Amino acid sequence: MREDVVVRPALATDAPGIARLSEPFVADDLLVARSGTQFRNRIGDYLTAVHDSHVIGCVGLTRLGDDLLLYNLCVAADRQGLGIGGRMVERADALAALGGCRFLLAASKHSGRWFVRHGFTRTEPQHMPAVWADLLPPGRGSHLYRRPVAPRTAPPAFTPPRQGAERS
């Protein structure tokens, strides 16, 4: 991946870019629709991948019990396959470790191959804690993936987001 792509906490000015980036994935029913206001109100929960001041990737993070949920994970179509999504997941993993989280969680309608390549395993509903139940709304066709958080000791780049589940 190019070194001029920076993964960082989202800024208030990134909200429109996150909304634009998410639109094609929402249109393909791969992400839950969110309004510009929702992105602005939760901007502190997002990491962004930025190139030349343009948002080319994003992921929302929210604490769910002892775990960190990744939601709205997407990378611009012309930037996929360059390791940007993996860098965002690794940054989320570091934040989760520093926040004392056990697992990274993600719900996805994709086949799951990308998540498996990045250390996630598919979790069947009967093996999920009750607090995860809202992550798989009936009829959406999503699957839940989880990955153990790797222990870290470096200081956090920013505080892990507040408790409160978002749906992927």
Side-chain angles (χ1 to χ4, degrees), residues 113-142:
R113 288 188 299 265
W114 187 90
F115 287 103
V116 170
R117 280 197 321 268
H118 288 87
F120 289 80
T121 56
R122 185 170 163 184
T123 301
E124 297 302 324
Q126 65 269 26
H127 298 112
M128 291 189 288
V131 69
W132 296 0
D134 283 345
L135 300 181
L136 298 175
R140 178 135 173 84
S142 297

PDB file of all heavy atoms in Angstrom, residues 113-142:
ATOM      1  N   ARG A 113     -14.624 -13.907   3.197  1.00  0.00           N
ATOM      2  CA  ARG A 113     -13.231 -14.237   2.875  1.00  0.00           C
ATOM      3  C   ARG A 113     -12.279 -13.139   3.328  1.00  0.00           C
ATOM      4  O   ARG A 113     -11.193 -13.425   3.836  1.00  0.00           O
ATOM      5  CB  ARG A 113     -13.072 -14.493   1.379  1.00  0.00           C
ATOM      6  CG  ARG A 113     -13.695 -15.806   0.940  1.00  0.00           C
ATOM      7  CD  ARG A 113     -13.347 -16.129  -0.500  1.00  0.00           C
ATOM      8  NE  ARG A 113     -13.829 -15.111  -1.429  1.00  0.00           N
ATOM      9  CZ  ARG A 113     -14.983 -15.169  -2.093  1.00  0.00           C
ATOM     10  NH1 ARG A 113     -15.765 -16.206  -1.934  1.00  0.00           N
ATOM     11  NH2 ARG A 113     -15.341 -14.217  -2.912  1.00  0.00           N
ATOM     12  N   TRP A 114     -12.653 -11.877   3.143  1.00  0.00           N
ATOM     13  CA  TRP A 114     -11.781 -10.774   3.546  1.00  0.00           C
ATOM     14  C   TRP A 114     -11.548 -10.825   5.059  1.00  0.00           C
ATOM     15  O   TRP A 114     -10.412 -10.690   5.516  1.00  0.00           O
ATOM     16  CB  TRP A 114     -12.399  -9.426   3.140  1.00  0.00           C
ATOM     17  CG  TRP A 114     -11.471  -8.287   3.388  1.00  0.00           C
ATOM     18  CD1 TRP A 114     -10.551  -7.779   2.520  1.00  0.00           C
ATOM     19  CD2 TRP A 114     -11.353  -7.521   4.597  1.00  0.00           C
ATOM     20  NE1 TRP A 114      -9.867  -6.742   3.115  1.00  0.00           N
ATOM     21  CE2 TRP A 114     -10.334  -6.563   4.393  1.00  0.00           C
ATOM     22  CE3 TRP A 114     -11.991  -7.547   5.828  1.00  0.00           C
ATOM     23  CZ2 TRP A 114      -9.952  -5.647   5.368  1.00  0.00           C
ATOM     24  CZ3 TRP A 114     -11.612  -6.643   6.802  1.00  0.00           C
ATOM     25  CH2 TRP A 114     -10.606  -5.706   6.566  1.00  0.00           C
ATOM     26  N   PHE A 115     -12.610 -11.026   5.815  1.00  0.00           N
ATOM     27  CA  PHE A 115     -12.468 -11.084   7.270  1.00  0.00           C
ATOM     28  C   PHE A 115     -11.593 -12.258   7.694  1.00  0.00           C
ATOM     29  O   PHE A 115     -10.745 -12.120   8.577  1.00  0.00           O
ATOM     30  CB  PHE A 115     -13.837 -11.133   7.949  1.00  0.00           C
ATOM     31  CG  PHE A 115     -14.559  -9.820   7.891  1.00  0.00           C
ATOM     32  CD1 PHE A 115     -15.587  -9.607   6.999  1.00  0.00           C
ATOM     33  CD2 PHE A 115     -14.186  -8.779   8.720  1.00  0.00           C
ATOM     34  CE1 PHE A 115     -16.232  -8.387   6.936  1.00  0.00           C
ATOM     35  CE2 PHE A 115     -14.818  -7.548   8.666  1.00  0.00           C
ATOM     36  CZ  PHE A 115     -15.853  -7.350   7.768  1.00  0.00           C
ATOM     37  N   VAL A 116     -11.774 -13.414   7.086  1.00  0.00           N
ATOM     38  CA  VAL A 116     -10.963 -14.584   7.427  1.00  0.00           C
ATOM     39  C   VAL A 116      -9.491 -14.303   7.132  1.00  0.00           C
ATOM     40  O   VAL A 116      -8.615 -14.634   7.935  1.00  0.00           O
ATOM     41  CB  VAL A 116     -11.476 -15.842   6.684  1.00  0.00           C
ATOM     42  CG1 VAL A 116     -10.516 -17.006   6.829  1.00  0.00           C
ATOM     43  CG2 VAL A 116     -12.864 -16.219   7.210  1.00  0.00           C
ATOM     44  N   ARG A 117      -9.193 -13.670   6.002  1.00  0.00           N
ATOM     45  CA  ARG A 117      -7.798 -13.321   5.676  1.00  0.00           C
ATOM     46  C   ARG A 117      -7.189 -12.385   6.713  1.00  0.00           C
ATOM     47  O   ARG A 117      -5.981 -12.317   6.866  1.00  0.00           O
ATOM     48  CB  ARG A 117      -7.710 -12.657   4.294  1.00  0.00           C
ATOM     49  CG  ARG A 117      -7.753 -13.623   3.151  1.00  0.00           C
ATOM     50  CD  ARG A 117      -7.261 -13.016   1.841  1.00  0.00           C
ATOM     51  NE  ARG A 117      -7.639 -11.652   1.598  1.00  0.00           N
ATOM     52  CZ  ARG A 117      -8.722 -11.235   0.931  1.00  0.00           C
ATOM     53  NH1 ARG A 117      -9.573 -12.122   0.444  1.00  0.00           N
ATOM     54  NH2 ARG A 117      -8.964  -9.957   0.755  1.00  0.00           N
ATOM     55  N   HIS A 118      -8.042 -11.643   7.419  1.00  0.00           N
ATOM     56  CA  HIS A 118      -7.560 -10.696   8.421  1.00  0.00           C
ATOM     57  C   HIS A 118      -7.736 -11.214   9.850  1.00  0.00           C
ATOM     58  O   HIS A 118      -7.792 -10.434  10.798  1.00  0.00           O
ATOM     59  CB  HIS A 118      -8.240  -9.336   8.218  1.00  0.00           C
ATOM     60  CG  HIS A 118      -7.727  -8.662   6.993  1.00  0.00           C
ATOM     61  ND1 HIS A 118      -8.269  -8.876   5.750  1.00  0.00           N
ATOM     62  CD2 HIS A 118      -6.681  -7.822   6.808  1.00  0.00           C
ATOM     63  CE1 HIS A 118      -7.600  -8.183   4.850  1.00  0.00           C
ATOM     64  NE2 HIS A 118      -6.618  -7.551   5.464  1.00  0.00           N
ATOM     65  N   GLY A 119      -7.814 -12.539   9.983  1.00  0.00           N
ATOM     66  CA  GLY A 119      -7.790 -13.155  11.310  1.00  0.00           C
ATOM     67  C   GLY A 119      -9.123 -13.335  11.997  1.00  0.00           C
ATOM     68  O   GLY A 119      -9.172 -13.769  13.149  1.00  0.00           O
ATOM     69  N   PHE A 120     -10.218 -13.036  11.336  1.00  0.00           N
ATOM     70  CA  PHE A 120     -11.549 -13.204  11.915  1.00  0.00           C
ATOM     71  C   PHE A 120     -12.052 -14.616  11.640  1.00  0.00           C
ATOM     72  O   PHE A 120     -11.678 -15.248  10.655  1.00  0.00           O
ATOM     73  CB  PHE A 120     -12.540 -12.217  11.292  1.00  0.00           C
ATOM     74  CG  PHE A 120     -12.346 -10.795  11.691  1.00  0.00           C
ATOM     75  CD1 PHE A 120     -11.366 -10.008  11.084  1.00  0.00           C
ATOM     76  CD2 PHE A 120     -13.152 -10.206  12.656  1.00  0.00           C
ATOM     77  CE1 PHE A 120     -11.195  -8.680  11.429  1.00  0.00           C
ATOM     78  CE2 PHE A 120     -12.992  -8.878  13.009  1.00  0.00           C
ATOM     79  CZ  PHE A 120     -12.008  -8.116  12.396  1.00  0.00           C
ATOM     80  N   THR A 121     -12.933 -15.092  12.495  1.00  0.00           N
ATOM     81  CA  THR A 121     -13.648 -16.340  12.250  1.00  0.00           C
ATOM     82  C   THR A 121     -15.144 -16.046  12.327  1.00  0.00           C
ATOM     83  O   THR A 121     -15.578 -15.177  13.080  1.00  0.00           O
ATOM     84  CB  THR A 121     -13.291 -17.436  13.282  1.00  0.00           C
ATOM     85  OG1 THR A 121     -13.550 -16.946  14.590  1.00  0.00           O
ATOM     86  CG2 THR A 121     -11.844 -17.852  13.162  1.00  0.00           C
ATOM     87  N   ARG A 122     -15.895 -16.778  11.530  1.00  0.00           N
ATOM     88  CA  ARG A 122     -17.345 -16.622  11.561  1.00  0.00           C
ATOM     89  C   ARG A 122     -17.881 -17.246  12.843  1.00  0.00           C
ATOM     90  O   ARG A 122     -17.453 -18.333  13.240  1.00  0.00           O
ATOM     91  CB  ARG A 122     -17.972 -17.288  10.347  1.00  0.00           C
ATOM     92  CG  ARG A 122     -19.458 -17.058  10.268  1.00  0.00           C
ATOM     93  CD  ARG A 122     -19.999 -17.518   8.953  1.00  0.00           C
ATOM     94  NE  ARG A 122     -21.434 -17.657   9.040  1.00  0.00           N
ATOM     95  CZ  ARG A 122     -22.184 -18.121   8.083  1.00  0.00           C
ATOM     96  NH1 ARG A 122     -21.659 -18.499   6.943  1.00  0.00           N
ATOM     97  NH2 ARG A 122     -23.485 -18.209   8.251  1.00  0.00           N
ATOM     98  N   THR A 123     -18.799 -16.547  13.478  1.00  0.00           N
ATOM     99  CA  THR A 123     -19.395 -16.998  14.729  1.00  0.00           C
ATOM    100  C   THR A 123     -20.870 -17.282  14.487  1.00  0.00           C
ATOM    101  O   THR A 123     -21.586 -16.419  13.980  1.00  0.00           O
ATOM    102  CB  THR A 123     -19.233 -15.917  15.818  1.00  0.00           C
ATOM    103  OG1 THR A 123     -17.844 -15.657  15.981  1.00  0.00           O
ATOM    104  CG2 THR A 123     -19.815 -16.369  17.132  1.00  0.00           C
ATOM    105  N   GLU A 124     -21.294 -18.460  14.833  1.00  0.00           N
ATOM    106  CA  GLU A 124     -22.697 -18.838  14.638  1.00  0.00           C
ATOM    107  C   GLU A 124     -23.561 -18.192  15.719  1.00  0.00           C
ATOM    108  O   GLU A 124     -23.123 -18.036  16.862  1.00  0.00           O
ATOM    109  CB  GLU A 124     -22.844 -20.359  14.670  1.00  0.00           C
ATOM    110  CG  GLU A 124     -22.103 -21.050  13.543  1.00  0.00           C
ATOM    111  CD  GLU A 124     -22.549 -20.594  12.160  1.00  0.00           C
ATOM    112  OE1 GLU A 124     -23.749 -20.314  11.958  1.00  0.00           O
ATOM    113  OE2 GLU A 124     -21.692 -20.508  11.264  1.00  0.00           O
ATOM    114  N   PRO A 125     -24.784 -17.821  15.377  1.00  0.00           N
ATOM    115  CA  PRO A 125     -25.660 -17.129  16.329  1.00  0.00           C
ATOM    116  C   PRO A 125     -25.826 -17.837  17.671  1.00  0.00           C
ATOM    117  O   PRO A 125     -25.855 -17.187  18.707  1.00  0.00           O
ATOM    118  CB  PRO A 125     -26.997 -17.038  15.593  1.00  0.00           C
ATOM    119  CG  PRO A 125     -26.629 -17.088  14.150  1.00  0.00           C
ATOM    120  CD  PRO A 125     -25.410 -17.976  14.073  1.00  0.00           C
ATOM    121  N   GLN A 126     -25.887 -19.153  17.674  1.00  0.00           N
ATOM    122  CA  GLN A 126     -26.093 -19.867  18.937  1.00  0.00           C
ATOM    123  C   GLN A 126     -24.879 -19.774  19.862  1.00  0.00           C
ATOM    124  O   GLN A 126     -24.980 -20.071  21.051  1.00  0.00           O
ATOM    125  CB  GLN A 126     -26.484 -21.339  18.702  1.00  0.00           C
ATOM    126  CG  GLN A 126     -25.415 -22.174  18.036  1.00  0.00           C
ATOM    127  CD  GLN A 126     -25.523 -22.181  16.520  1.00  0.00           C
ATOM    128  OE1 GLN A 126     -26.041 -21.258  15.908  1.00  0.00           O
ATOM    129  NE2 GLN A 126     -25.022 -23.240  15.905  1.00  0.00           N
ATOM    130  N   HIS A 127     -23.735 -19.332  19.353  1.00  0.00           N
ATOM    131  CA  HIS A 127     -22.524 -19.194  20.168  1.00  0.00           C
ATOM    132  C   HIS A 127     -22.230 -17.741  20.539  1.00  0.00           C
ATOM    133  O   HIS A 127     -21.175 -17.451  21.090  1.00  0.00           O
ATOM    134  CB  HIS A 127     -21.317 -19.792  19.432  1.00  0.00           C
ATOM    135  CG  HIS A 127     -21.472 -21.245  19.169  1.00  0.00           C
ATOM    136  ND1 HIS A 127     -21.619 -21.754  17.898  1.00  0.00           N
ATOM    137  CD2 HIS A 127     -21.546 -22.307  20.001  1.00  0.00           C
ATOM    138  CE1 HIS A 127     -21.761 -23.056  17.961  1.00  0.00           C
ATOM    139  NE2 HIS A 127     -21.723 -23.420  19.229  1.00  0.00           N
ATOM    140  N   MET A 128     -23.162 -16.846  20.247  1.00  0.00           N
ATOM    141  CA  MET A 128     -22.943 -15.434  20.517  1.00  0.00           C
ATOM    142  C   MET A 128     -23.487 -15.035  21.873  1.00  0.00           C
ATOM    143  O   MET A 128     -24.548 -15.503  22.276  1.00  0.00           O
ATOM    144  CB  MET A 128     -23.654 -14.575  19.463  1.00  0.00           C
ATOM    145  CG  MET A 128     -23.054 -14.669  18.095  1.00  0.00           C
ATOM    146  SD  MET A 128     -23.775 -13.455  16.991  1.00  0.00           S
ATOM    147  CE  MET A 128     -25.404 -14.134  16.717  1.00  0.00           C
ATOM    148  N   PRO A 129     -22.771 -14.150  22.576  1.00  0.00           N
ATOM    149  CA  PRO A 129     -23.341 -13.569  23.794  1.00  0.00           C
ATOM    150  C   PRO A 129     -24.609 -12.782  23.448  1.00  0.00           C
ATOM    151  O   PRO A 129     -24.738 -12.235  22.350  1.00  0.00           O
ATOM    152  CB  PRO A 129     -22.246 -12.629  24.292  1.00  0.00           C
ATOM    153  CG  PRO A 129     -20.993 -13.124  23.655  1.00  0.00           C
ATOM    154  CD  PRO A 129     -21.411 -13.707  22.334  1.00  0.00           C
ATOM    155  N   ALA A 130     -25.526 -12.713  24.374  1.00  0.00           N
ATOM    156  CA  ALA A 130     -26.801 -12.026  24.139  1.00  0.00           C
ATOM    157  C   ALA A 130     -26.605 -10.575  23.714  1.00  0.00           C
ATOM    158  O   ALA A 130     -27.372 -10.056  22.908  1.00  0.00           O
ATOM    159  CB  ALA A 130     -27.669 -12.099  25.388  1.00  0.00           C
ATOM    160  N   VAL A 131     -25.558  -9.906  24.202  1.00  0.00           N
ATOM    161  CA  VAL A 131     -25.331  -8.499  23.886  1.00  0.00           C
ATOM    162  C   VAL A 131     -25.038  -8.301  22.387  1.00  0.00           C
ATOM    163  O   VAL A 131     -25.180  -7.212  21.870  1.00  0.00           O
ATOM    164  CB  VAL A 131     -24.203  -7.904  24.770  1.00  0.00           C
ATOM    165  CG1 VAL A 131     -22.847  -8.476  24.407  1.00  0.00           C
ATOM    166  CG2 VAL A 131     -24.201  -6.394  24.731  1.00  0.00           C
ATOM    167  N   TRP A 132     -24.662  -9.365  21.682  1.00  0.00           N
ATOM    168  CA  TRP A 132     -24.381  -9.263  20.247  1.00  0.00           C
ATOM    169  C   TRP A 132     -25.628  -9.449  19.389  1.00  0.00           C
ATOM    170  O   TRP A 132     -25.588  -9.252  18.182  1.00  0.00           O
ATOM    171  CB  TRP A 132     -23.378 -10.311  19.815  1.00  0.00           C
ATOM    172  CG  TRP A 132     -22.017 -10.210  20.410  1.00  0.00           C
ATOM    173  CD1 TRP A 132     -21.554  -9.291  21.309  1.00  0.00           C
ATOM    174  CD2 TRP A 132     -20.928 -11.087  20.164  1.00  0.00           C
ATOM    175  NE1 TRP A 132     -20.254  -9.550  21.621  1.00  0.00           N
ATOM    176  CE2 TRP A 132     -19.833 -10.649  20.939  1.00  0.00           C
ATOM    177  CE3 TRP A 132     -20.764 -12.205  19.359  1.00  0.00           C
ATOM    178  CZ2 TRP A 132     -18.598 -11.279  20.923  1.00  0.00           C
ATOM    179  CZ3 TRP A 132     -19.532 -12.835  19.355  1.00  0.00           C
ATOM    180  CH2 TRP A 132     -18.470 -12.373  20.124  1.00  0.00           C
ATOM    181  N   ALA A 133     -26.734  -9.838  19.987  1.00  0.00           N
ATOM    182  CA  ALA A 133     -27.933 -10.226  19.222  1.00  0.00           C
ATOM    183  C   ALA A 133     -28.400  -9.155  18.244  1.00  0.00           C
ATOM    184  O   ALA A 133     -28.811  -9.471  17.129  1.00  0.00           O
ATOM    185  CB  ALA A 133     -29.056 -10.602  20.170  1.00  0.00           C
ATOM    186  N   ASP A 134     -28.338  -7.891  18.625  1.00  0.00           N
ATOM    187  CA  ASP A 134     -28.817  -6.825  17.743  1.00  0.00           C
ATOM    188  C   ASP A 134     -27.933  -6.612  16.518  1.00  0.00           C
ATOM    189  O   ASP A 134     -28.306  -5.880  15.608  1.00  0.00           O
ATOM    190  CB  ASP A 134     -28.915  -5.495  18.496  1.00  0.00           C
ATOM    191  CG  ASP A 134     -30.131  -5.433  19.392  1.00  0.00           C
ATOM    192  OD1 ASP A 134     -31.035  -6.276  19.216  1.00  0.00           O
ATOM    193  OD2 ASP A 134     -30.171  -4.546  20.254  1.00  0.00           O
ATOM    194  N   LEU A 135     -26.776  -7.234  16.474  1.00  0.00           N
ATOM    195  CA  LEU A 135     -25.873  -7.053  15.340  1.00  0.00           C
ATOM    196  C   LEU A 135     -26.362  -7.770  14.095  1.00  0.00           C
ATOM    197  O   LEU A 135     -25.910  -7.477  12.998  1.00  0.00           O
ATOM    198  CB  LEU A 135     -24.469  -7.555  15.685  1.00  0.00           C
ATOM    199  CG  LEU A 135     -23.803  -6.870  16.857  1.00  0.00           C
ATOM    200  CD1 LEU A 135     -22.416  -7.449  17.066  1.00  0.00           C
ATOM    201  CD2 LEU A 135     -23.721  -5.379  16.629  1.00  0.00           C
ATOM    202  N   LEU A 136     -27.250  -8.720  14.262  1.00  0.00           N
ATOM    203  CA  LEU A 136     -27.746  -9.501  13.134  1.00  0.00           C
ATOM    204  C   LEU A 136     -29.253  -9.335  13.011  1.00  0.00           C
ATOM    205  O   LEU A 136     -30.018 -10.220  13.355  1.00  0.00           O
ATOM    206  CB  LEU A 136     -27.377 -10.984  13.317  1.00  0.00           C
ATOM    207  CG  LEU A 136     -25.884 -11.280  13.353  1.00  0.00           C
ATOM    208  CD1 LEU A 136     -25.644 -12.748  13.671  1.00  0.00           C
ATOM    209  CD2 LEU A 136     -25.221 -10.905  12.038  1.00  0.00           C
ATOM    210  N   PRO A 137     -29.692  -8.177  12.506  1.00  0.00           N
ATOM    211  CA  PRO A 137     -31.134  -7.978  12.378  1.00  0.00           C
ATOM    212  C   PRO A 137     -31.750  -9.034  11.462  1.00  0.00           C
ATOM    213  O   PRO A 137     -31.153  -9.387  10.453  1.00  0.00           O
ATOM    214  CB  PRO A 137     -31.269  -6.581  11.778  1.00  0.00           C
ATOM    215  CG  PRO A 137     -29.913  -6.112  11.444  1.00  0.00           C
ATOM    216  CD  PRO A 137     -28.914  -7.070  11.991  1.00  0.00           C
ATOM    217  N   PRO A 138     -32.908  -9.559  11.835  1.00  0.00           N
ATOM    218  CA  PRO A 138     -33.563 -10.593  11.028  1.00  0.00           C
ATOM    219  C   PRO A 138     -33.773 -10.121   9.593  1.00  0.00           C
ATOM    220  O   PRO A 138     -34.128  -8.975   9.341  1.00  0.00           O
ATOM    221  CB  PRO A 138     -34.904 -10.810  11.731  1.00  0.00           C
ATOM    222  CG  PRO A 138     -34.726 -10.261  13.108  1.00  0.00           C
ATOM    223  CD  PRO A 138     -33.694  -9.180  13.006  1.00  0.00           C
ATOM    224  N   GLY A 139     -33.512 -11.010   8.648  1.00  0.00           N
ATOM    225  CA  GLY A 139     -33.756 -10.715   7.245  1.00  0.00           C
ATOM    226  C   GLY A 139     -32.642  -9.963   6.545  1.00  0.00           C
ATOM    227  O   GLY A 139     -32.667  -9.819   5.328  1.00  0.00           O
ATOM    228  N   ARG A 140     -31.659  -9.464   7.272  1.00  0.00           N
ATOM    229  CA  ARG A 140     -30.586  -8.700   6.630  1.00  0.00           C
ATOM    230  C   ARG A 140     -29.587  -9.612   5.920  1.00  0.00           C
ATOM    231  O   ARG A 140     -28.954  -9.222   4.966  1.00  0.00           O
ATOM    232  CB  ARG A 140     -29.876  -7.821   7.664  1.00  0.00           C
ATOM    233  CG  ARG A 140     -28.731  -7.034   7.080  1.00  0.00           C
ATOM    234  CD  ARG A 140     -28.718  -5.604   7.530  1.00  0.00           C
ATOM    235  NE  ARG A 140     -27.506  -4.966   7.055  1.00  0.00           N
ATOM    236  CZ  ARG A 140     -27.354  -4.443   5.854  1.00  0.00           C
ATOM    237  NH1 ARG A 140     -28.358  -4.446   5.011  1.00  0.00           N
ATOM    238  NH2 ARG A 140     -26.218  -3.907   5.484  1.00  0.00           N
ATOM    239  N   GLY A 141     -29.426 -10.847   6.415  1.00  0.00           N
ATOM    240  CA  GLY A 141     -28.510 -11.789   5.782  1.00  0.00           C
ATOM    241  C   GLY A 141     -27.055 -11.594   6.165  1.00  0.00           C
ATOM    242  O   GLY A 141     -26.156 -12.070   5.480  1.00  0.00           O
ATOM    243  N   SER A 142     -26.812 -10.906   7.268  1.00  0.00           N
ATOM    244  CA  SER A 142     -25.439 -10.682   7.727  1.00  0.00           C
ATOM    245  C   SER A 142     -24.939 -11.880   8.531  1.00  0.00           C
ATOM    246  O   SER A 142     -25.721 -12.643   9.093  1.00  0.00           O
ATOM    247  CB  SER A 142     -25.369  -9.441   8.626  1.00  0.00           C
ATOM    248  OG  SER A 142     -25.729  -8.293   7.923  1.00  0.00           O
TER     249      SER A 142
END
